[in-house]
Amino acid sequence: MLRRSKDTTLARKFLYLIAILIMLAIAAAFAYRLFGVQIMRTAMVPTAKFEPQEKATASVYADPAMWFSRPGKADDPARWVPAGYQPGAAPNAAVFYVHPTSYLNRARWNAPLDDAEANGRATLFLRGQATAFNAVGEIWAPRYRQATFGAFLTSEAAAGQALDLAYGDVLTAFDQFLNEIGPDRPIILAGHSQGALHLTRLLKDRVAATPLAARIVAAYVVGWPVSKTADLPALGLPQCEAADQAGCILSWQTFAEPADPALIFDTFDKTDGYTGAPRAGTDMVCTNPITGTPDSTAPASANLGTLFPSADLLNADIEPGMISATCEGRGILSVGPPPSLVGNYVLPGNNYHVFDYSLFWANIRTDAQRRFDSYQND
């Protein structure tokens, strides 16, 4: 009886422990839903001072080691394709791709160029995003001293300084890219998140009202809000209105339902656009990547293929007909109920930001080819 009593007591203690752990897990999930943004700010925003650094010079990007991808580079992650696809044998366009934030450390405002973790993540982003363009163009993807993730969660002056430093690298790399590809080559611009932010500035500073605008096949400014009225008129290209239109801008930000884009709009609405007009209350460019047209709806059956990553993120399978897409509200791309199997990196508000490219990989690949063909035929 004594043994049975001890066993019963141990069993009860074990069950109490399980119950407590379940309650803690539920509480943590509840807290994350309610206070996810605050939690991220506390965990990710650097407490150190911004450290000024020297600007990159053109000679820096003449070194092939300063590029994750460029023609002739061995083990180029942007040449990867899933089964059933091939990179282009003789692609005609030159693709300038700027990777998203891959530096998550709060010790510094800007990533060191030799940070192994940040560079490893950037390589994964190239495989999941830049590869969509490798049938139509040779991809150039620079290393740059990106701002850390926490810079997007605060209005501190240091955050702006960190982004300016990162943009300076991107601009210098782009100028070297132009020098190397020659004066006539068609150009595709592509980026995501922080990379897309830098592309908007690049469009304003290097493309708008210049002869270079005539060489742009398309600009994929994905995962960053672009106001139709406060930003677009200053970027030198219109939004893409037709699926076969060249010389235009595509942009979208992906959410599952129920979507809460407050993290985006709270910041977006407090700023002025590139035209100087306030962004508050304005609509954002929303290109449906399945149709290639703005403010449209597409069923899952029209999705040519989503990349579903392996557990180790080193490979992926492509599955058609899995994800629908609808532009709604002020310009959010909704994929309906949360999709399964794409991964666990969902941000607060059901924000599928990390998957902006991979959910529509095959459609983006087709879109780029179609726009390049139109550009060639104009």
Side-chain angles (χ1 to χ4, degrees):
M1 289 292 294
L2 181 61
R3 173 73 183 195
R4 182 174 296 178
S5 176
K6 288 182 177 180
D7 288 345
T8 302
T9 301
L10 288 172
R12 285 177 178 170
K13 288 182 177 180
F14 177 74
L15 291 173
Y16 289 154
L17 176 62
I18 294 299
I20 290 170
L21 291 175
I22 291 172
M23 291 173 64
L24 288 174
I26 293 173
F30 184 68
Y32 182 74
R33 286 182 178 276
L34 289 180
F35 309 111
V37 177
Q38 294 91 325
I39 291 171
M40 284 202 302
R41 284 176 178 152
T42 301
M44 305 302 293
V45 175
T47 55
K49 291 183 178 179
F50 171 76
E51 299 176 2
Q53 301 179 49
E54 291 185 6
K55 292 183 178 180
T57 62
S59 61
V60 169
Y61 284 98
D63 182 357
M66 283 297 293
W67 299 83
F68 287 111
S69 295
R70 57 167 288 161
K73 194 171 182 69
D75 300 323
D76 188 337
R79 297 288 291 171
W80 174 88
V81 287
Y85 290 83
Q86 294 292 331
N92 296 308
V95 180
F96 186 77
Y97 164 86
V98 189
H99 72 77
T101 307
S102 62
Y103 185 62
L104 309 181
N105 198 321
R106 65 191 297 245
R108 304 177 184 223
W109 284 96
N110 290 88
L113 290 170
D114 61 354
D115 188 277
E117 288 189 6
N119 290 340
R121 293 189 191 102
T123 298
L124 289 175
F125 282 126
L126 261 74
R127 288 166 62 88
Q129 298 181 354
T131 54
F133 303 101
N134 66 24
V136 69
E138 292 180 323
I139 296 165
W140 298 67
R143 299 174 184 267
Y144 68 102
R145 291 170 291 182
Q146 60 182 289
T148 188
F149 180 75
F152 295 93
L153 301 174
T154 178
S155 58
E156 291 182 42
Q161 292 172 310
L163 287 166
D164 286 344
L165 175 64
Y167 173 61
D169 284 0
V170 170
L171 198 60
T172 302
F174 182 69
D175 288 342
Q176 182 62 27
F177 161 81
L178 291 178
N179 287 336
E180 298 212 28
I181 67 170
D184 302 314
R185 193 109 176 256
I187 296 168
I188 292 175
L189 301 175
H192 183 246
S193 193
Q194 179 173 169
L197 167 62
H198 297 319
L199 280 187
T200 61
R201 295 181 67 176
L202 188 151
L203 283 163
K204 178 178 179 292
D205 294 342
R206 286 289 188 272
V207 175
T210 74
L212 187 59
R215 293 172 59 189
I216 305 300
V217 175
Y220 294 80
V221 184
V222 181
W224 191 261
V226 176
S227 169
K228 290 183 178 180
T229 55
D231 291 318
L232 196 60
L235 301 186
L237 300 174
Q239 75 167 350
C240 294
E241 299 288 351
D244 60 353
Q245 180 181 352
C248 55
I249 293 173
L250 303 87
S251 181
W252 64 88
Q253 297 175 90
T254 311
F255 284 76
E257 298 298 338
D260 180 7
L263 181 60
I264 292 173
F265 287 133
D266 286 352
T267 301
F268 183 73
D269 285 347
K270 294 176 183 176
T271 59
D272 292 336
Y274 290 120
T275 65
R279 291 176 173 134
T282 64
D283 288 340
M284 300 181 301
V285 174
C286 181
T287 312
N288 190 321
I290 296 179
T291 65
T293 57
D295 306 318
S296 59
T297 296
S301 59
N303 190 319
L304 300 178
T306 296
L307 282 181
F308 287 92
S310 59
D312 59 8
L313 301 180
L314 296 179
N315 216 322
D317 295 321
I318 191 158
E319 295 288 345
M322 302 291 287
I323 308 292
S324 63
T326 300
C327 287
E328 59 183 29
R330 288 175 59 188
I332 292 300
L333 185 72
S334 171
V335 296
S340 61
L341 301 178
V342 293
N344 299 318
Y345 303 99
V346 180
L347 298 178
N350 260 344
N351 188 341
Y352 275 67
H353 180 74
V354 175
F355 309 103
D356 281 326
Y357 273 85
S358 59
L359 290 172
F360 316 103
W361 187 90
N363 286 87
I364 297 169
R365 191 175 184 83
T366 299
D367 187 275
Q369 185 67 60
R370 185 170 54 230
R371 294 186 195 280
F372 179 76
D373 292 343
S374 292
Y375 176 91
Q376 292 286 81
N377 294 328
D378 282 349

